[in-house]
Amino acid sequence: MTTTPTVLDITQHDNIAARTGDKLKRRVAFVTGGTRGIGAAICRSLASQGATLAAGYAGNDDAATKFRDSFAITYGTAVSIHKGNVGDAGDCRRTIDEVIAAHGRLDILVNNAGITIDKTVLKLSDEDWFKVLNVNLSGAFFLSQAALRHMAERGSGRIVNVSSVIGEMGNIGQANYAASKSGLFGLTKTLAREAAFLLSKAGRLTDPDGVGLTVNTVTPGFIATEMLEHIPAKVLERIVGQIPLGRLGKPEEVARVVHFLAADASSYITGQVWGVNGGLDM
């Protein structure tokens, strides 16, 4: 008798168990929401290529500490953990400062943290609307603003925003989430233009040996993480039936694209939106 794997069964395969290369050696990366789900997979993927990691988290101290300790065992280097509310501008600036103080620099910022409060439009309260927008969109702005100052001074860097296919397609009961994730597209393109302008102004834009300062967005589809656990089995089955590739995505499949965009060799890619959704938005 065969059984359909659960969401958490699928996520068990997203570990990269060892260091596999040096493409990100001497790079420092800060991943918000980095201690679980897609964020944890991104941390592991970046570390597999030699990056030094800092992971942001919102409130579960025990889980964050466990992640930090297991990470050190796997990769032989500790990941620093930074607690804060991404929906608070002051916390965004503080955590960026903490990462730079701890590691001496910041090369890669991944704005991965996000929340949902799902209700139909007529049932959404003011608080429901603003809380999701504050975390998913405003948080990405304030973190990027703080990181961009540091990266522009150094003349290089990578900012990768994690949006969602829902920001492209919309979804019943997710007006706040869709608006916040869609907003990341405009933010990404504007930040990318301003980053290039800052390098041009400093005379560093055409440096043949430079790695550039780029800003891009990755848009996951339905990925097997804890965020999907609340969806009834029949509803999840219907969702999977709409995905051309016929399955949920794995966190590591999103992480690979973030990893690619973070690499020095991706310096000619900026202001772009990269879908990782099994063809859902075709």
Side-chain angles (χ1 to χ4, degrees):
M1 180 177 178
T2 60
T3 58
T4 302
T6 67
V7 167
L8 291 184
D9 285 335
I10 296 173
T11 66
Q12 299 310 305
H13 301 290
D14 70 351
N15 288 338
I16 296 175
R19 174 85 169 265
T20 59
D22 294 316
K23 291 180 180 178
L24 296 174
K25 189 176 181 180
R26 292 186 293 275
R27 298 288 181 258
V28 175
F30 181 34
V31 181
T32 65
T35 62
R36 62 189 182 121
I38 291 174
I42 291 170
C43 284
R44 287 188 282 264
S45 187
L46 299 178
S48 75
Q49 286 293 328
T52 298
L53 267 298
Y57 73 102
N60 193 329
D61 296 326
D62 290 340
T65 300
K66 183 178 179 180
F67 173 80
R68 180 191 64 193
D69 294 345
S70 64
F71 196 93
I73 293 170
T74 302
Y75 297 101
T77 181
V79 56
S80 63
I81 53 177
H82 305 269
K83 185 176 182 177
N85 175 12
V86 175
D88 179 88
D91 267 13
C92 290
R93 298 180 183 113
R94 174 183 58 78
T95 52
I96 292 290
D97 289 343
E98 281 182 4
V99 172
I100 295 171
H103 301 287
R105 58 191 289 161
L106 175 60
D107 301 282
I108 302 161
L109 169 66
V110 182
N111 288 313
N112 168 71
I115 62 170
T116 61
I117 301 176
D118 295 349
K119 298 176 184 178
T120 55
V121 168
L122 298 183
K123 294 181 179 179
L124 273 177
S125 68
D126 295 355
E127 183 180 359
D128 295 334
W129 174 264
F130 286 115
K131 187 172 182 179
V132 171
L133 266 291
N134 285 344
V135 172
N136 296 359
L137 180 57
S138 297
F141 167 76
F142 289 117
L143 285 158
S144 297
Q145 183 185 53
L148 189 61
R149 288 193 178 98
H150 172 74
M151 292 175 178
E153 287 177 2
R154 296 182 55 251
S156 65
R158 298 282 185 268
I159 297 174
V160 181
N161 296 314
V162 179
S163 181
S164 169
V165 71
I166 300 303
E168 297 175 308
M169 299 174 61
N171 198 29
I172 292 174
Q174 291 193 301
N176 48 2
Y177 184 75
S180 67
K181 291 300 187 177
S182 180
L184 288 174
F185 303 149
L187 178 63
T188 294
K189 292 179 180 296
T190 299
L191 287 172
R193 289 182 181 276
E194 292 200 12
F197 173 77
L198 288 170
L199 288 196
S200 178
K201 190 175 179 181
R204 294 175 170 176
L205 190 62
T206 57
D207 180 359
D209 298 318
V211 300
L213 175 47
T214 67
V215 187
N216 292 285
T217 284
V218 174
T219 60
F222 288 93
I223 307 299
T225 68
E226 294 173 2
M227 190 174 281
L228 296 187
E229 284 194 292
H230 71 283
I231 299 178
K234 288 186 178 180
V235 175
L236 193 58
E237 184 178 346
R238 187 165 64 248
I239 289 171
V240 171
Q242 297 171 351
I243 301 171
L245 293 188
R247 64 173 176 86
L248 298 175
K250 301 175 184 178
E252 65 178 359
E253 293 176 309
V254 180
R256 287 191 191 110
V257 180
V258 174
H259 171 155
F260 166 74
L261 293 171
D264 290 359
S266 297
S267 61
Y268 200 58
I269 302 170
T270 194
Q272 303 304 306
V273 176
W274 291 70
V276 187
N277 57 48
L280 186 60
D281 67 339
M282 289 193 295

mmCIF file of all heavy atoms in Angstrom, residues 177-195:
data_model
loop_
_atom_site.group_PDB
_atom_site.id
_atom_site.type_symbol
_atom_site.label_atom_id
_atom_site.label_comp_id
_atom_site.label_asym_id
_atom_site.label_seq_id
_atom_site.Cartn_x
_atom_site.Cartn_y
_atom_site.Cartn_z
ATOM 1 N N TYR A 177 -1.762 39.417 1.462
ATOM 2 C CA TYR A 177 -0.548 38.681 1.107
ATOM 3 C C TYR A 177 -0.173 38.933 -0.354
ATOM 4 O O TYR A 177 0.992 39.217 -0.673
ATOM 5 C CB TYR A 177 -0.777 37.192 1.345
ATOM 6 C CG TYR A 177 0.432 36.319 1.118
ATOM 7 C CD1 TYR A 177 1.476 36.283 2.039
ATOM 8 C CD2 TYR A 177 0.527 35.515 -0.015
ATOM 9 C CE1 TYR A 177 2.583 35.474 1.834
ATOM 10 C CE2 TYR A 177 1.624 34.707 -0.229
ATOM 11 C CZ TYR A 177 2.654 34.688 0.696
ATOM 12 O OH TYR A 177 3.753 33.885 0.488
ATOM 13 N N ALA A 178 -1.156 38.860 -1.251
ATOM 14 C CA ALA A 178 -0.897 39.078 -2.673
ATOM 15 C C ALA A 178 -0.379 40.491 -2.924
ATOM 16 O O ALA A 178 0.569 40.689 -3.702
ATOM 17 C CB ALA A 178 -2.173 38.832 -3.484
ATOM 18 N N ALA A 179 -0.982 41.468 -2.273
ATOM 19 C CA ALA A 179 -0.545 42.856 -2.452
ATOM 20 C C ALA A 179 0.882 43.055 -1.956
ATOM 21 O O ALA A 179 1.691 43.733 -2.597
ATOM 22 C CB ALA A 179 -1.500 43.801 -1.720
ATOM 23 N N SER A 180 1.188 42.447 -0.815
ATOM 24 C CA SER A 180 2.535 42.603 -0.261
ATOM 25 C C SER A 180 3.582 41.945 -1.147
ATOM 26 O O SER A 180 4.656 42.505 -1.382
ATOM 27 C CB SER A 180 2.601 42.021 1.158
ATOM 28 O OG SER A 180 2.447 40.609 1.152
ATOM 29 N N LYS A 181 3.274 40.761 -1.667
ATOM 30 C CA LYS A 181 4.240 40.043 -2.495
ATOM 31 C C LYS A 181 4.360 40.660 -3.886
ATOM 32 O O LYS A 181 5.438 40.666 -4.484
ATOM 33 C CB LYS A 181 3.842 38.568 -2.593
ATOM 34 C CG LYS A 181 3.989 37.811 -1.273
ATOM 35 C CD LYS A 181 5.431 37.834 -0.770
ATOM 36 C CE LYS A 181 5.643 36.945 0.435
ATOM 37 N NZ LYS A 181 7.067 36.919 0.872
ATOM 38 N N SER A 182 3.259 41.188 -4.400
ATOM 39 C CA SER A 182 3.310 41.901 -5.670
ATOM 40 C C SER A 182 4.127 43.184 -5.532
ATOM 41 O O SER A 182 4.873 43.563 -6.439
ATOM 42 C CB SER A 182 1.896 42.216 -6.139
ATOM 43 O OG SER A 182 1.918 42.912 -7.370
ATOM 44 N N GLY A 183 3.994 43.838 -4.395
ATOM 45 C CA GLY A 183 4.748 45.061 -4.149
ATOM 46 C C GLY A 183 6.247 44.865 -4.221
ATOM 47 O O GLY A 183 6.999 45.791 -4.554
ATOM 48 N N LEU A 184 6.702 43.645 -3.921
ATOM 49 C CA LEU A 184 8.135 43.361 -3.988
ATOM 50 C C LEU A 184 8.674 43.469 -5.413
ATOM 51 O O LEU A 184 9.866 43.733 -5.606
ATOM 52 C CB LEU A 184 8.429 41.970 -3.429
ATOM 53 C CG LEU A 184 8.303 41.807 -1.912
ATOM 54 C CD1 LEU A 184 8.485 40.340 -1.520
ATOM 55 C CD2 LEU A 184 9.333 42.674 -1.189
ATOM 56 N N PHE A 185 7.817 43.274 -6.421
ATOM 57 C CA PHE A 185 8.289 43.384 -7.798
ATOM 58 C C PHE A 185 8.719 44.821 -8.106
ATOM 59 O O PHE A 185 9.791 45.055 -8.659
ATOM 60 C CB PHE A 185 7.205 42.939 -8.786
ATOM 61 C CG PHE A 185 6.710 41.530 -8.559
ATOM 62 C CD1 PHE A 185 5.401 41.186 -8.857
ATOM 63 C CD2 PHE A 185 7.541 40.559 -8.049
ATOM 64 C CE1 PHE A 185 4.944 39.894 -8.660
ATOM 65 C CE2 PHE A 185 7.094 39.254 -7.846
ATOM 66 C CZ PHE A 185 5.785 38.928 -8.151
ATOM 67 N N GLY A 186 7.853 45.763 -7.767
ATOM 68 C CA GLY A 186 8.201 47.162 -7.997
ATOM 69 C C GLY A 186 9.365 47.619 -7.150
ATOM 70 O O GLY A 186 10.229 48.388 -7.605
ATOM 71 N N LEU A 187 9.406 47.147 -5.905
ATOM 72 C CA LEU A 187 10.516 47.489 -5.025
ATOM 73 C C LEU A 187 11.826 46.961 -5.598
ATOM 74 O O LEU A 187 12.841 47.665 -5.627
ATOM 75 C CB LEU A 187 10.274 46.905 -3.627
ATOM 76 C CG LEU A 187 11.380 47.131 -2.598
ATOM 77 C CD1 LEU A 187 11.575 48.615 -2.323
ATOM 78 C CD2 LEU A 187 11.067 46.375 -1.305
ATOM 79 N N THR A 188 11.820 45.737 -6.063
ATOM 80 C CA THR A 188 13.025 45.120 -6.624
ATOM 81 C C THR A 188 13.559 45.913 -7.809
ATOM 82 O O THR A 188 14.763 46.210 -7.886
ATOM 83 C CB THR A 188 12.725 43.672 -7.068
ATOM 84 O OG1 THR A 188 12.420 42.893 -5.914
ATOM 85 C CG2 THR A 188 13.901 43.062 -7.802
ATOM 86 N N LYS A 189 12.683 46.247 -8.728
ATOM 87 C CA LYS A 189 13.125 46.941 -9.937
ATOM 88 C C LYS A 189 13.648 48.343 -9.625
ATOM 89 O O LYS A 189 14.628 48.804 -10.229
ATOM 90 C CB LYS A 189 11.993 46.978 -10.962
ATOM 91 C CG LYS A 189 11.672 45.595 -11.513
ATOM 92 C CD LYS A 189 10.530 45.615 -12.508
ATOM 93 C CE LYS A 189 10.236 44.203 -13.026
ATOM 94 N NZ LYS A 189 11.362 43.630 -13.799
ATOM 95 N N THR A 190 13.011 49.021 -8.677
ATOM 96 C CA THR A 190 13.475 50.354 -8.303
ATOM 97 C C THR A 190 14.803 50.287 -7.560
ATOM 98 O O THR A 190 15.728 51.071 -7.834
ATOM 99 C CB THR A 190 12.416 51.058 -7.438
ATOM 100 O OG1 THR A 190 11.204 51.188 -8.193
ATOM 101 C CG2 THR A 190 12.888 52.441 -7.016
ATOM 102 N N LEU A 191 14.923 49.346 -6.617
ATOM 103 C CA LEU A 191 16.191 49.186 -5.909
ATOM 104 C C LEU A 191 17.316 48.823 -6.877
ATOM 105 O O LEU A 191 18.449 49.298 -6.735
ATOM 106 C CB LEU A 191 16.068 48.101 -4.837
ATOM 107 C CG LEU A 191 15.262 48.436 -3.582
ATOM 108 C CD1 LEU A 191 15.086 47.174 -2.723
ATOM 109 C CD2 LEU A 191 15.946 49.531 -2.767
ATOM 110 N N ALA A 192 17.017 47.985 -7.870
ATOM 111 C CA ALA A 192 18.036 47.593 -8.846
ATOM 112 C C ALA A 192 18.529 48.795 -9.633
ATOM 113 O O ALA A 192 19.741 48.962 -9.868
ATOM 114 C CB ALA A 192 17.467 46.528 -9.788
ATOM 115 N N ARG A 193 17.600 49.653 -10.043
ATOM 116 C CA ARG A 193 17.988 50.859 -10.783
ATOM 117 C C ARG A 193 18.811 51.804 -9.899
ATOM 118 O O ARG A 193 19.812 52.383 -10.341
ATOM 119 C CB ARG A 193 16.749 51.580 -11.313
ATOM 120 C CG ARG A 193 16.061 50.851 -12.456
ATOM 121 C CD ARG A 193 14.871 51.637 -12.986
ATOM 122 N NE ARG A 193 14.194 50.931 -14.054
ATOM 123 C CZ ARG A 193 14.545 50.955 -15.339
ATOM 124 N NH1 ARG A 193 15.601 51.678 -15.700
ATOM 125 N NH2 ARG A 193 13.858 50.283 -16.243
ATOM 126 N N GLU A 194 18.385 51.963 -8.655
ATOM 127 C CA GLU A 194 19.099 52.879 -7.764
ATOM 128 C C GLU A 194 20.468 52.328 -7.397
ATOM 129 O O GLU A 194 21.433 53.092 -7.250
ATOM 130 C CB GLU A 194 18.260 53.169 -6.526
ATOM 131 C CG GLU A 194 17.013 53.976 -6.830
ATOM 132 C CD GLU A 194 16.439 54.677 -5.604
ATOM 133 O OE1 GLU A 194 17.110 54.734 -4.562
ATOM 134 O OE2 GLU A 194 15.298 55.177 -5.715
ATOM 135 N N ALA A 195 20.579 50.998 -7.246
ATOM 136 C CA ALA A 195 21.876 50.386 -6.944
ATOM 137 C C ALA A 195 22.860 50.647 -8.093
ATOM 138 O O ALA A 195 24.021 51.000 -7.869
ATOM 139 C CB ALA A 195 21.714 48.892 -6.706
#
